[in-house]
Amino acid sequence: MKRSVRGCYQSEGYVFARNAAEIGKQHGLDWVARLASNENPDPPSEIALKKGYEALCNANRYPDERQVSLNDALIAVHGNFPFVTGVGMDGVIETTIRTLVEPGDLVAISTPTFSFYRLSAIAQGAGVVEVPRGPGFTVEPARFIEACEEAKLAFLCTPNNPTGNGTSPEVIRGILNEIECVLFLDNAYVEFSDLDYLPLLRDYDNLIIGRTFSKAYSLAGLRVGYAFVPEWFRPYYLRAATPHTLNAVSAAAAVGALSDTQHVETARARVIRWRKELSGRLNFPVMQSDANFIMVDVAPFTSDEAVDRLARMGVLARSCRSFRGLEDHYVRVSIGADWENTMCIDAFGRLNP
Ligand SMILES: *Cc1c(COP(=O)(O)O)cnc(C)c1O
């Protein structure tokens, strides 16, 4: 029998950050600044660790399939909205697509942006309509609305990865007023901005807002994502999801992380301070950012050239070459710990064309 893999997996998949330990070894460096994945450089909150450990002690049992504790904690923090959870927001994105999209349906995506919307849509047999952003990487609502006409589901990331800029809630409202399809608003970085999209949830029943514990909450390794969803959508999502999607340790740690507002506030304050500082001190144009990273225009270098040179100086940044719809001269740099940001400024200072 001939063994064959589905066509959608024959081309390149998700692009992961390069390994810090390998880079260090390769270039003989003791210290490598890990600025390629937009993680929080602080370890998880003590409360998250304690809750996670308690759950680990009961790991002989299956998790609560309704995730009551996490659901209640989300309601306590954000208000009484219907929530769903997933293995990272990536898991939420995948399950949302599985819930709504039939093979042959169209999915609209505002680009350049996070790659997983496209990969996941294609894996579900969907067609993808990419809607390019305008000057300064701002969303052009008329163009996006037009693409949504034929689509079943649309993705818009704000603050956007990799460009960093946010789209105002007023612009999103304008879009929601005109479209019929479901809009998935990716808010992975919203904690680092002053943008608030939650009031929109009261007015639209086709809005899903995705969130994650991987960035502001320091739990990237535990894979916890969630979303605010319309009431009608929730039961279908639960049927489409893999049983026991979220493990008990991750869910418990997330509850702990949510309760530690000081931990998140520390990260937010550091990001805001360094975002300003880095934007002023790199000898290259830096895009305005509402997130915990900045996108730097490294022309005349290509993305990969700049990233290779920075790596030799111990700074791990993300080449933006793989982001569709973006010219090949951008690098994305996370805001890290103080010493990492200092190394970053120093490395860019030595990056001479
Ligand atoms: C990091 C990220 C996610 C997914 O994060 P998870 O770790 O899967 O929760 C989703 N969207 C964007 C734009 C991201 O940058």
Side-chain angles (χ1 to χ4, degrees):
M1 196 185 88
K2 186 170 179 301
R3 287 165 179 81
S4 69
V5 170
R6 292 177 60 202
C8 62
Y9 298 124
Q10 311 250 350
S11 51
E12 200 181 9
Y14 191 84
V15 178
F16 294 93
R18 292 167 71 192
N19 183 289
E22 278 171 23
I23 298 263
K25 217 166 147 190
Q26 188 184 343
H27 301 299
L29 302 158
D30 294 330
W31 294 80
V32 175
R34 295 174 62 162
L35 305 180
S37 301
N38 304 338
E39 296 146 336
N40 185 334
D42 291 338
S45 137
E46 290 290 333
I47 308 173
L49 295 175
K50 183 164 170 291
K51 291 261 187 204
Y53 180 74
E54 282 166 17
L56 184 57
C57 297
N58 292 304
N60 54 313
R61 303 293 178 193
Y62 276 109
D64 166 18
E65 74 276 10
R66 292 166 304 151
Q67 296 292 354
V68 170
S69 304
L70 180 52
N71 200 61
D72 287 354
L74 289 169
I75 287 172
V77 171
H78 295 298
N80 196 5
F81 296 101
F83 290 99
V84 297
T85 56
V87 176
M89 198 206 302
D90 290 343
V92 176
I93 290 164
E94 184 177 62
T95 304
T96 298
I97 291 174
R98 200 188 299 163
T99 309
L100 295 173
V101 176
E102 305 267 14
D105 284 344
L106 292 181
V107 172
I109 300 173
S110 172
T111 61
T113 197
F114 190 55
S115 66
F116 191 63
Y117 316 132
R118 178 172 172 275
L119 294 171
S120 188
I122 289 173
Q124 192 60 30
V128 167
V129 187
E130 295 184 325
V131 194
R133 287 165 175 253
F137 305 109
T138 53
V139 172
E140 295 187 330
R143 238 172 150 176
F144 191 72
I145 290 162
E146 195 190 329
C148 287
E149 267 166 34
E150 304 291 315
K152 200 61 158 302
L153 175 64
F155 285 93
L156 198 154
C157 187
T158 174
N160 187 41
N161 180 0
T163 58
N165 59 319
T167 303
S168 74
E170 292 71 38
V171 168
I172 301 299
R173 181 179 289 279
I175 289 171
L176 283 163
N177 281 338
E178 302 297 328
I179 66 173
E180 300 278 334
C181 72
V182 172
L183 176 64
F184 189 107
L185 205 63
D186 182 330
N187 276 183
Y189 300 99
V190 78
E191 291 88 352
F192 304 107
S193 76
D194 294 320
L195 300 161
D196 181 10
Y197 301 95
L198 300 189
L200 297 171
L201 290 163
R202 279 193 294 277
D203 298 333
Y204 302 94
D205 74 349
N206 58 340
L207 175 62
I208 296 174
I209 297 184
R211 296 270 191 109
T212 179
F213 284 90
S214 297
K215 312 284 161 58
Y217 289 94
S218 288
L219 294 180
L222 287 187
R223 318 299 307 120
V224 194
Y226 64 101
F228 301 80
V229 297
E231 191 73 61
W232 64 264
F233 175 75
R234 196 168 179 277
Y236 299 109
Y237 178 98
L238 296 177
R239 278 180 219 168
T242 309
H244 296 300
T245 300
L246 192 52
N247 75 72
V249 177
S250 297
V255 171
L258 270 180
S259 73
D260 194 343
T261 49
Q262 187 53 50
H263 182 270
V264 183
E265 196 39 54
T266 301
R268 182 181 147 87
R270 182 180 49 233
V271 163
I272 290 169
R273 181 162 59 83
W274 277 105
R275 200 162 62 191
K276 198 157 163 248
E277 175 96 7
L278 284 163
S279 302
R281 291 190 50 193
L282 304 187
N283 287 330
F284 294 86
V286 174
M287 308 302 123
Q288 183 270 326
S289 171
D290 296 298
N292 67 344
F293 59 84
I294 49 173
M295 190 170 83
V296 186
D297 182 347
V298 291
F301 293 111
T302 66
S303 314
D304 286 357
E305 274 168 6
V307 163
D308 283 343
R309 285 173 192 235
L310 292 168
R312 273 181 245 141
M313 296 184 263
V315 172
L316 197 50
R318 169 70 197 260
S319 164
C320 292
R321 181 174 57 83
S322 65
F323 286 92
R324 296 163 65 90
L326 193 62
E327 286 173 17
D328 187 19
H329 52 86
Y330 292 100
V331 165
R332 194 192 67 198
V333 190
S334 313
I335 311 293
D338 293 351
W339 68 268
E340 292 177 303
N341 303 328
T342 305
M343 257 177 94
C344 174
I345 291 173
D346 179 58
F348 269 93
R350 290 190 281 143
L351 189 66
N352 296 314

